[in-house]
Amino acid sequence: MKITFYGIVQGVGFRPAAYRVAKQLGLNGFVQNNGSNVEVHIDGDPDVFISRLRQELPSLARIDRSEIEDAEEELEPFRIAESSDGRRVSLIPVDNAICDACLRDFHDPGDHRYRYPFANCTECGARFTVIKDVPFDRARTAMDEFPMCGDCLSEYSSPDDRRFHAQTISSPRCGPRYSLYDRTGTPIRSMDPFETFARKIESGMVGVLKGWGGMHIVGSFESAKRLRKIYRRGEKPYAVMMRDIETARKFAAIDPEEERLLTSPQRPIVLIRKREEVKEALSDVSPGLRNIGIMLPYSGAHHLLFEHLYEDGVIMTSANPPGEPMIIDNLRAFELRLDCYLLHNRKIIHRCDDSVIRVNGGQRAFLRRSRGFVPTPIPLNHSSSVIAVGAQWDVTGSISRNGELFLTQYIGETDKYPTLQFLESAIRHLQRLLGVEKIEAIAADRHPRYSTKIVAKKLAEECGCEMVETQHYHAHAASLMIDRGLSETGIFLTWDGTGYGDDGSSWGGETLDADFSRYSRVASLRKIPLLGGDRAALDIRRIVAAMKLMLNREIDGLSDWEIEVFSKMLPRSSRTSSMGRVLDALSCTLGVCCKRSYEGEPAIKLESLLETGKPTHRFDVRTESAEGLEVIDTLDLFDQLFELNLDGEAERADIARSFVESLVNEAGRIACDIALKRGHSYIGFCGGVSYNGVITEILRDCVEDRNLAFYTHNAIPSGDGGISAGQNAIVGRKVAGKG
Ligand SMILES: [Zn+2]
Ligand SMILES: [Zn+2]
């Protein structure tokens, strides 16, 4: 009998488990990796075998399905056979935090992996980031340069050992090593590089620590200001790594779902509300924000660092030149010119940034879906093989195969060439691992100047297939449909900072009536001018000034000369219906934030005001209807806002809340009216603005009051990181002839 297992069956201890079950049942035969699935040949009842195996399945393994075939064959006593190259249809294991059993070895002075930074087993460690090719065997990983010593080999070969057939294990005798370097890249001799590194960090130095899928910049909380200067990073927040969950609690109010995420094997960065008492201590780490991004140690190296640190936590942020992908190469790291470097000599095959999640109303929202989650597939609406390249900011790519969607790790902002190259290589690598040979179409954004199109065109030429363009907000809606398993037509509020509109202008406050095959715009926001185009998105005073000019209002804070220049620019300036820009302008008007140093900053900083404020003020919302499009007059809302006295802090919070509630409720009302009139059963909310917890809750209440279902993202980022999922869904159906 031959049984083929599909699912997460490689690199997770599946074959050893099969071996143990076969031995218990006294069967002859063999188990082997075949492509990316696993084949078992036995001379007994396959159903008994499968049910026993399910009971003994390693925690990370998952059987999606199994196929049983008759096979006439002579079988010898059960063994684990060499891999054969077959079709690649199963899953590639993700990087998982060091497990409890390995952590016990790590802390046990009698164990040969005592304080060993690369301690791992079948259940844990770097996997996606070290795999060159499938089947997942040591020879096809970055560990091929480190032949196992006798100790490791005996664990690897012993069926009763929990490291039996663990492909990437090593020990201090045979494995990679960390070395310490100074600013210039010269090795620093040290008995204990981790201890020396820890002392340097505590003395205020800033260093680089190489990890599994990339490198982190490490510094004490006090070094935040200096680091910010070196990096010209504006006010962009840093993530921190805390010693453990108890320590993290001193800094942040962690709810049960946040704790579950923080301590999960994926160990993402979780954005959690800072405690009032420590706001001062963290003020340079995440300036002006209610949340702090926290993660817990996930590798032996992190635990070793904390063994030597006295601090509760350290800044841990991706080590990358501004706007470029994270550095993975040792020599390139020295170009960062930081104080010291703690690097190991194992190659990083696949760059993978930390994942970032926040919890909104008990539900997780991915800001970045990367380490720990990639390349776990997401069920899809079509079975075509399509590659999608995303939009321009916060990019991920995607590839589909047999009804499953695989998103790449976080890529970044593709306006810089190295990031664009990273997108291309990440897609190619995923394609190779998945063994998708025939690509049927390449999906890209309709924007004529997005650089991701360069990659799309190149891939389309190579594959000999078509490049198909999708509308930005249609892709957002389709992404949400995939995420929540929706197939019916719905109404979608797709709000973000910017996206290419069908009229050639920048959109971002759109409500669509959509399904996978079509969309129509049913509501939007009145367009507001962007004086100087993109510069207005960085200098929000320009948006506010433009609106005041349109309203013939007095403008304070600008010189007469600036006002004159702006007046001349106004008639020619581009306009946007973006909700992101409306929130930016509100933030600036209320004195919260007028200069943007990172995407979404003014709106994010507005959130704490929105949370404390009460809807005490009355804003009248005017909506005009023209040719089937409802347009909310945001300019008129600002006209009412400019009338108000904005002096007191509490007053400003109430005004912020009132403004947003009025606007969001009106948009929600319009969406619900249309849904009910057209017989749709649900409202979806997506795009970067949906990360805002307050706005999400206002909309949810508004929609549920009308007895409609309300959906937000869960497994796919709701910002532009989810665009490649929607593109794939739309184009995949099209090539399958269903859309
Ligand atoms: Zn382990
Ligand atoms: Zn060894």
Side-chain angles (χ1 to χ4, degrees):
M1 285 297 191
K2 173 183 156 191
I3 315 169
T4 309
F5 290 96
Y6 301 83
I8 304 176
V9 292
Q10 288 192 11
V12 290
F14 190 90
R15 286 178 298 169
Y19 178 93
R20 283 191 291 270
V21 169
K23 285 291 182 196
Q24 286 160 18
L25 297 172
L27 302 174
N28 293 319
F30 63 95
V31 54
Q32 71 177 6
N33 282 343
N34 180 11
S36 48
N37 51 48
V38 169
E39 247 177 61
V40 176
H41 295 248
I42 46 168
D43 57 358
D45 184 339
D47 292 325
V48 173
F49 179 84
I50 293 170
S51 83
R52 269 295 269 282
L53 182 59
R54 280 189 185 277
Q55 288 163 21
E56 306 228 348
L57 212 57
S59 61
L60 294 174
R62 191 179 88 197
I63 299 174
D64 287 344
R65 64 192 171 89
S66 52
E67 280 169 13
I68 302 169
E69 288 169 61
D70 265 327
E72 286 294 320
E73 51 193 350
E74 284 289 306
L75 295 172
E76 292 162 12
F78 202 89
R79 68 194 167 90
I80 295 180
E82 289 293 308
S83 302
S84 75
D85 293 317
R87 279 178 57 233
R88 303 162 179 199
V89 273
S90 281
L91 306 178
I92 300 126
V94 299
D95 287 13
N96 260 325
I98 183 170
C99 71
D100 291 345
C102 286
L103 205 51
R104 275 194 295 277
D105 293 348
F106 177 89
H107 286 302
D108 175 6
D111 193 276
H112 68 127
R113 289 192 185 81
Y114 177 54
R115 292 192 158 184
Y116 179 54
F118 298 92
N120 74 329
C121 69
T122 28
E123 310 236 336
C124 72
R127 287 96 65 86
F128 172 67
T129 50
V130 297
I131 294 179
K132 295 179 193 166
D133 205 348
V134 287
F136 180 32
D137 275 337
R138 194 182 189 89
R140 296 180 191 84
T141 72
M143 290 302 289
D144 65 341
E145 293 175 16
F146 303 93
M148 279 187 243
C149 66
D151 292 343
C152 290
L153 199 58
S154 92
E155 292 168 325
Y156 180 86
S157 327
S158 151
D160 297 324
D161 197 283
R162 64 186 186 82
R163 292 192 175 86
F164 181 48
H165 275 235
Q167 300 302 332
T168 57
I169 56 165
S170 60
S171 72
R173 281 179 62 195
C174 59
R177 247 166 244 275
Y178 272 95
S179 312
L180 192 63
Y181 303 85
D182 72 6
R183 197 179 178 78
T184 62
T186 311
I188 300 173
R189 259 198 282 181
S190 162
M191 286 293 288
D192 188 338
F194 275 84
E195 141 114 274
T196 314
F197 186 74
R199 294 289 77 75
K200 286 178 184 292
I201 297 305
E202 276 175 344
S203 75
M205 287 188 174
V206 175
V208 169
L209 176 65
K210 184 175 177 184
W212 289 348
M215 301 195 192
H216 284 111
I217 294 176
V218 184
S220 64
F221 296 164
E222 291 75 32
S223 70
K225 234 186 196 138
R226 195 184 135 222
L227 196 51
R228 221 169 268 293
K229 247 194 202 139
I230 304 176
Y231 269 89
R232 295 187 303 273
R233 201 180 146 108
E235 299 226 313
K236 197 168 182 190
Y238 292 116
V240 299
M241 183 175 279
M242 294 290 181
R243 177 177 297 278
D244 49 35
I245 185 80
E246 288 73 31
T247 314
R249 264 188 242 288
K250 292 202 292 194
F251 292 85
I254 303 170
D255 76 19
E257 177 61 9
E258 289 163 342
E259 173 168 349
R260 195 189 63 74
L261 288 165
L262 277 174
T263 55
S264 67
Q266 292 86 7
R267 288 286 200 286
I269 294 169
V270 186
L271 302 186
I272 307 175
R273 185 188 302 258
K274 288 178 204 166
R275 282 197 188 281
E276 211 52 53
E277 315 84 270
V278 297
K279 276 209 170 131
E280 202 52 34
L282 295 175
S283 63
D284 288 330
V285 178
S286 68
L289 299 179
R290 66 191 271 287
N291 285 334
I292 172 101
I294 296 179
M295 64 179 148
L296 296 180
Y298 56 83
S299 71
H302 298 150
H303 286 279
L304 193 49
L305 179 61
F306 275 101
E307 293 268 300
H308 293 293
L309 277 174
Y310 295 104
E311 313 254 345
D312 288 330
V314 285
I315 291 173
M316 273 260 180
T317 186
S318 296
N320 55 287
E324 291 186 24
M326 181 164 53
I327 291 173
I328 54 174
D329 182 72
N330 286 12
L331 289 177
R332 282 225 51 209
F334 300 126
E335 292 170 19
L336 290 171
R337 296 263 146 196
L338 292 170
D339 301 324
C340 53
Y341 300 83
L342 186 51
L343 308 177
H344 60 69
N345 57 344
R346 197 211 71 208
K347 278 193 197 109
I348 294 173
I349 303 300
H350 230 31
R351 175 189 292 111
C352 201
D353 285 83
D354 298 311
S355 293
V356 185
I357 296 180
R358 73 175 274 184
V359 177
N360 269 345
Q363 210 180 341
R364 93 183 160 180
F366 276 101
L367 285 97
R368 186 183 285 181
R369 182 182 181 274
S370 214
R371 177 185 49 78
F373 297 94
V374 170
T376 307
I378 295 160
L380 196 53
N381 61 333
H382 64 79
S383 37
S384 320
S385 298
V386 170
I387 286 174
V389 297
Q392 177 83 335
W393 315 109
D394 224 7
V395 167
T396 65
S398 76
I399 179 164
S400 55
R401 182 193 71 178
N402 300 334
E404 287 184 319
L405 178 73
F406 297 82
L407 288 172
T408 66
Q409 65 273 50
Y410 166 78
I411 303 292
E413 327 301 354
T414 51
D415 54 336
K416 287 238 167 86
Y417 184 64
T419 317
L420 198 61
Q421 274 183 313
F422 176 33
L423 172 67
E424 185 182 335
S425 74
I427 290 172
R428 286 183 193 280
H429 191 75
L430 207 48
Q431 184 183 0
R432 189 166 60 245
L433 289 181
L434 295 167
V436 187
E437 273 146 32
K438 178 99 188 73
I439 296 293
E440 294 161 79
I442 311 290
D445 196 277
R446 204 172 274 165
H447 197 296
R449 287 179 307 279
Y450 277 176
S451 53
T452 46
K453 267 210 169 113
I454 300 170
V455 172
K457 281 182 186 149
K458 188 170 167 189
L459 291 172
E461 236 164 67
E462 273 176 36
C463 302
C465 66
E466 215 187 329
M467 179 183 83
V468 184
E469 296 179 353
T470 56
Q471 210 287 324
H472 191 88
Y473 297 96
H474 186 207
H476 269 303
S479 175
L480 179 59
M481 289 179 73
I482 288 299
D483 192 346
R484 304 306 303 270
L486 302 165
S487 53
E488 310 271 298
T489 306
I491 301 291
F492 298 86
L493 296 123
T494 59
W495 292 348
D496 67 5
T498 184
Y500 188 69
D502 293 350
D503 55 6
S505 75
S506 158
W507 284 6
E510 318 317 310
T511 303
L512 304 186
D513 176 314
D515 55 32
F516 291 119
S517 61
R518 52 152 288 283
Y519 68 94
S520 63
R521 191 160 68 128
V522 292
S524 183
L525 305 180
R526 177 163 172 187
K527 289 193 173 166
I528 52 175
L530 296 169
L531 290 176
D534 291 343
R535 285 188 64 186
L538 301 174
D539 180 1
I540 317 299
R541 294 174 316 155
R542 286 168 176 253
I543 301 177
V544 178
M547 289 195 290
K548 287 187 171 169
L549 282 171
M550 288 174 80
L551 295 163
N552 291 316
R553 283 181 169 274
E554 218 169 279
I555 303 172
D556 36 51
L558 291 179
S559 67
D560 289 348
W561 178 78
E562 278 177 303
I563 292 171
E564 201 191 313
V565 173
F566 285 173
S567 309
K568 283 193 182 136
M569 285 166 76
L570 187 60
R572 296 176 276 117
S573 64
S574 60
R575 293 178 186 230
T576 180
S577 55
S578 159
M579 180 60 99
R581 297 294 93 84
V582 166
L583 295 172
D584 288 351
L586 177 62
S587 177
C588 180
T589 306
L590 294 172
V592 176
C593 176
C594 284
K595 293 250 184 213
R596 186 184 96 181
S597 56
Y598 56 92
E599 175 63 37
E601 178 182 1
I604 293 167
K605 288 186 169 171
L606 186 65
E607 209 179 338
S608 30
L609 272 196
L610 291 180
E611 279 184 346
T612 52
K614 304 258 172 331
T616 51
H617 288 67
R618 202 185 135 74
F619 285 90
D620 293 315
V621 193
R622 286 205 330 221
T623 300
E624 280 174 25
S625 176
E627 294 165 27
L629 185 68
E630 307 278 329
V631 180
I632 299 175
D633 192 343
T634 44
L635 189 66
D636 182 61
L637 274 175
F638 277 99
D639 199 23
Q640 297 170 51
L641 175 70
F642 296 145
E643 278 299 310
L644 299 171
N645 178 347
L646 305 173
D647 288 341
E649 168 87 25
E651 185 79 346
R652 284 189 293 135
D654 290 347
I655 291 170
R657 179 77 190 209
S658 308
F659 183 103
V660 166
E661 277 212 26
S662 307
L663 173 56
V664 172
N665 274 323
E666 174 68 358
R669 178 197 65 78
I670 295 170
C672 291
D673 281 354
I674 296 171
L676 291 167
K677 203 168 120 198
R678 300 186 180 179
H680 303 330
S681 63
Y682 71 92
I683 305 287
F685 183 31
C686 47
V689 173
S690 69
Y691 289 125
N692 186 305
V694 175
I695 294 179
T696 302
E697 286 322 300
I698 296 171
L699 262 182
R700 182 191 304 279
D701 287 347
C702 171
V703 170
E704 288 176 352
D705 273 353
R706 307 283 297 271
N707 289 319
L708 289 162
F710 181 69
Y711 291 105
T712 54
H713 274 283
N714 177 246
I716 298 174
S718 60
D720 281 6
I723 285 285
S724 70
Q727 291 174 334
N728 201 308
I730 294 167
V731 173
R733 266 180 76 93
K734 204 174 251 172
V735 295
K738 281 186 277 183

